[in-house]
Structure formats: structure tokens, C-alpha cells
Amino acid sequence: MSDPSISPASLTFAVSLDSDALETAANEVPAEPTPPTVTDEQPTEASEETSEIAESLEPQLAPEPILLKDIPVRLKAEGSYFRLILPPEGELTCTWMELSQQIQVLLKGSELLKNLGEATVPLYLLARDRLLDSRQLQGISDLLAPFHLQLERVETQRRQTAIAAVTCGYSVEQMSASDPLKTNSSPTVRLQEDPLYLQTTLRSGVEIRHPGTIIIQGDINPGASAIADGDILVWGRLRGVAHAGSAGNPNCTIMALDMEPTQIRIAGQVARTPKHSLPKPYPEVAYATPEGIRLAAAMDFPKVRYALVTDQEEV
């Protein structure tokens, strides 16, 4: 039932209005989107993060690596052996990997090693002031093996390197650090270095050289030798060669708990000790006199030393 409040005329007018609205909407052209306006406002947080990421991705200048050709490792033939010379640590600082690579390149390209044959040739390593441990010394020995070279001696100024070489079973010559300000025209005064302490046994074929006193907590076996500018103290059995005062100091001494050396030297004097007839050895001291090298019991040596200094007869 229709609503009596709505007349037919009002309905006709509403319909006509609706049809006119539809026609107008159909003829209208949609407006183009308005482009965003550019302003001078500050960048948002997202844009700041993007710029930071871009800056972090910019290539950084890496430090220039040390070229192998810049590491002056040298190999020299000296008589019946070769000498491998490492660069001083004070002149050039390089990593162990770079140094070992240069040694390998040097050995492969050396003309000295092309006609060696199958015979093994000894090699002396001049390490200077470069610090080497037992692992690095063994690495050098492994590099030498394919070329029929055998590492026998390490010449070094570093006490730690000398101890590592002795532990590995190599002969050692500990050198004094040279003074770069010293000229050849000035008189040279040779000072002794600090004592070299070794807690090991020197086996056959090992030779230790030190420009000072050598103190060994262990034995010196036959075939091994210790050469010192100062004294030699063996807290064990001395059955090899001991040379004290090798720079010419006759006041140096050799002391051992069991003195049975193959040969002992003090400065320019040489002697061999007779075999002990006592069943139990005791500490003895070897010292030099104008008549030659003598032995004294360690407990009596202070009196002997006093007699030598005061030119009195030995008691």
C-alpha cells in the first residue's frame, strides 16, 4: 500500500533529478592527478638511513700489501755450505706467511741449486734480530728439504730464537747486535752479552756459540760443543767439548757437576781430562794457569782462585 504522504508529482520530480545527475556524471572528464609539490623540507628518517647505507657501501682504500720482491731474502754459497740470510726485522716488517713465500720463491728460482745433485748440503740460517719460534724454524727446514738442503745452524741476535733452535736440535751462534753509529776507525771494545740459560741436553752434532756466559741445565753429550766468550756452567754431565773465554780471556772457567769432557779449552789453551777413578763424581772447575789447564774441586776453587790472583802457590 502506497504512502499517502508522497504525491505522484514529487516522485516525478525526484526521478527527473536523478536522471539529470547521472547525465552530468557521465559527461564529466576525470581530473588528472596532481603531481606532488617539491618543497625544501628536511629528509625523512628513511632517506637518512638510505644515505648512510650508501656511504657505508663506498669502497674503502685498503693498505697496500708488501710485495714479495720487496722482501730481501738472500741465498749465498760459502764453501761447503749455503747461508740463507733473512732481512732484519728493524728494516722491514712482514708477516711470517710473506717471509715463507719469499723463501720458497727464492729456492725455486735460484741458479745455485740447479746443479746440486742428490747429495744433502748443510745450510746456515742468518736470522739476525728476527724472532723465530720452533714452529717457524721447522717450517723453514721443511721448505729446504725438497732442494736437498739441511738446516744445521741458526745465527741470531735474539735469545728466544737461540733457545728455540737448541730445542729443535740445531746448532746456534748467538751474535751481538752491532751498533749502527759505530765506525770502523773507532776502537772496538767487545763487551759480553747477558748469560744464555738453556734447559736442555746438547746432543751429538749440536754446537752453541754465545758472546757471554753459557749456563746449561742438562748434559753436553759426546759430539756436542759449547763455545762462550765468558764462563761455561753445566748443571749436569760434561762429556762433549767446552770452550770458555773463546775471545781470548784466560780468566774464564768451566764448571760441571760431572767433568768428563772430550776436550776443554780456555782462551788459547787446550786439554783433555783423565777419566774419573772415583765411583761417585763431584763438581769440578777447570781454570787456566801459565802451566796449562787445571782442575779443582768446586768447594776448593775459591782458595785456588785467591792463590792465582795473589800470585801465591796453589794450596
Side-chain angles (χ1 to χ4, degrees):
M1 185 174 180
S2 59
D3 190 355
S5 62
I6 302 176
S7 63
S10 63
L11 287 174
T12 303
F13 178 73
V15 171
S16 64
L17 285 178
D18 292 340
S19 60
D20 293 341
L22 290 174
E23 255 181 59
T24 304
N27 294 330
E28 285 182 356
V29 180
E32 295 182 359
T34 305
T37 57
V38 179
T39 61
D40 294 334
E41 296 179 357
Q42 297 297 325
T44 60
E45 295 182 359
S47 62
E48 292 179 354
E49 294 179 359
T50 305
S51 61
E52 290 178 359
I53 295 175
E55 291 178 358
S56 64
L57 294 178
E58 291 181 0
Q60 302 292 330
L61 294 178
E64 295 183 1
I66 299 177
L67 300 178
L68 293 180
K69 64 183 181 63
D70 296 331
I71 306 177
V73 180
R74 291 183 294 160
L75 182 67
K76 295 176 60 178
E78 300 185 0
S80 60
Y81 63 91
F82 286 93
R83 175 174 272 114
L84 182 64
I85 305 173
L86 302 184
E89 195 164 325
E91 293 183 6
L92 179 63
T93 302
C94 59
T95 64
W96 164 246
M97 183 63 66
E98 291 170 338
L99 187 61
S100 60
Q101 287 176 353
Q102 174 63 10
I103 295 174
Q104 191 171 13
V105 170
L106 176 68
L107 295 175
K108 288 182 178 180
S110 176
E111 296 289 338
L112 300 174
L113 304 179
K114 291 186 176 180
N115 300 321
L116 275 185
E118 299 296 328
T120 301
V121 180
L123 181 137
Y124 293 178
L125 176 64
L126 179 57
R128 305 190 194 186
D129 62 344
R130 187 164 292 277
L131 182 61
L132 299 174
D133 56 24
S134 56
R135 177 184 58 84
Q136 293 168 340
L137 290 173
Q138 185 60 45
I140 294 176
S141 179
D142 294 340
L143 292 176
L144 299 174
F147 301 93
H148 305 286
L149 298 174
Q150 182 176 359
L151 180 59
E152 289 192 356
R153 180 189 295 271
V154 178
E155 301 167 343
T156 177
Q157 300 171 3
R158 302 293 292 268
R159 185 182 306 274
Q160 298 92 328
T161 302
I163 295 175
V166 172
T167 305
C168 293
Y170 303 121
S171 298
V172 173
E173 180 175 356
Q174 188 171 3
M175 307 177 301
S176 299
S178 58
D179 187 357
L181 301 179
K182 190 179 296 182
T183 59
N184 295 331
S185 59
S186 61
T188 57
V189 178
R190 188 169 184 177
L191 301 177
Q192 289 190 13
E193 297 288 330
D194 293 334
L196 176 64
Y197 296 89
L198 299 174
Q199 294 182 350
T200 185
T201 293
L202 303 188
R203 306 190 183 280
S204 178
V206 175
E207 179 182 278
I208 306 299
R209 291 179 177 266
H210 178 62
T213 295
I214 296 178
I215 302 175
I216 300 176
Q217 187 176 349
D219 301 335
I220 300 181
N221 287 346
S225 58
I227 303 173
D229 286 2
D231 303 322
I232 296 178
L233 286 78
V234 182
W235 199 257
R237 302 180 67 185
L238 172 55
R239 297 186 296 163
V241 177
H243 186 184
S246 59
N249 185 0
N251 296 321
C252 295
T253 59
I254 300 172
M255 182 268 183
L257 297 183
D258 187 0
M259 185 80 73
E260 297 182 14
T262 306
Q263 184 185 87
I264 54 176
R265 297 182 182 183
I266 299 178
Q269 301 186 25
V270 184
R272 295 187 62 180
T273 59
K275 293 185 178 180
H276 286 288
S277 58
L278 298 176
K280 185 177 181 180
Y282 54 88
E284 291 179 293
V285 179
Y287 59 98
T289 67
E291 293 78 23
I293 296 178
R294 298 288 185 265
L295 287 177
M299 61 184 303
D300 298 332
F301 182 67
K303 293 188 297 182
V304 176
R305 172 68 79 182
Y306 178 79
L308 290 175
V309 172
T310 57
D311 293 328
Q312 294 179 0
E313 184 179 358
E314 293 183 14
V315 178

